[in-house]
Amino acid sequence: AFRVLSIFKWERRKAPDVLVDGFFRAFRDADAELVIHAYRPSWERGDQDLRRVAERMRPAGNEARLTWLRGVQLSRRELRALYAAVDCFALPTRGEGWGLPVHEALAMQLPTVV
């Protein structure tokens, strides 16, 4: 299986719509998995069930897997293990200040798409 990881705050600026739509366009079978570790800030409007939001973007017949980790706090060890368990990192942001998850992915020598 090919696993793509994305870690971000679910808001328009972070382009979750671009991420999920792009993943479903690129991958259609169950051999691909998008692992999302995200949360919606309290000031952002919309459905708080982000898995449901992402699943609504799935085209009919698409069997690619979507794994939702929510915004649970991870220790440094758990975070390193998460980066080590995937094949690439993606964060198609519309604007980024520092981009800590991007730097973390690069430090783990993951192919990174921004």
Side-chain angles (χ1 to χ4, degrees), residues 11-12 22 25 34 41 51 55 61 73 77 84 92 98-99 105-106 114:
E11 60 184 354
R12 179 172 163 31
R25 285 175 184 249
L34 176 59
R51 181 179 186 86
E55 284 291 349
Q73 188 71 26
R77 171 177 266 159
W98 168 241
L106 291 171
V114 179

Side-chain angles (χ1 to χ4, degrees), residues 75-87:
S75 69
R76 288 179 188 250
R77 171 177 266 159
E78 292 168 325
L79 197 54
R80 278 193 302 273
L82 180 58
Y83 282 111
V86 300
D87 300 292

Side-chain angles (χ1 to χ4, degrees), residues 89-110:
F89 180 83
L91 184 65
T93 181
R94 291 183 171 95
E96 201 59 49
W98 168 241
L100 180 60
V102 172
H103 287 82
E104 290 170 341
L106 291 171
M108 292 292 294
Q109 299 181 344
L110 274 176

Side-chain angles (χ1 to χ4, degrees), residues 6 14 21 28 45 47 56 58 67 109:
S6 196
K14 299 293 186 171
D21 182 61
R28 292 183 170 83
R45 290 183 178 158
D47 192 340
R56 282 193 296 249
R58 180 187 298 274
T67 299
Q109 299 181 344

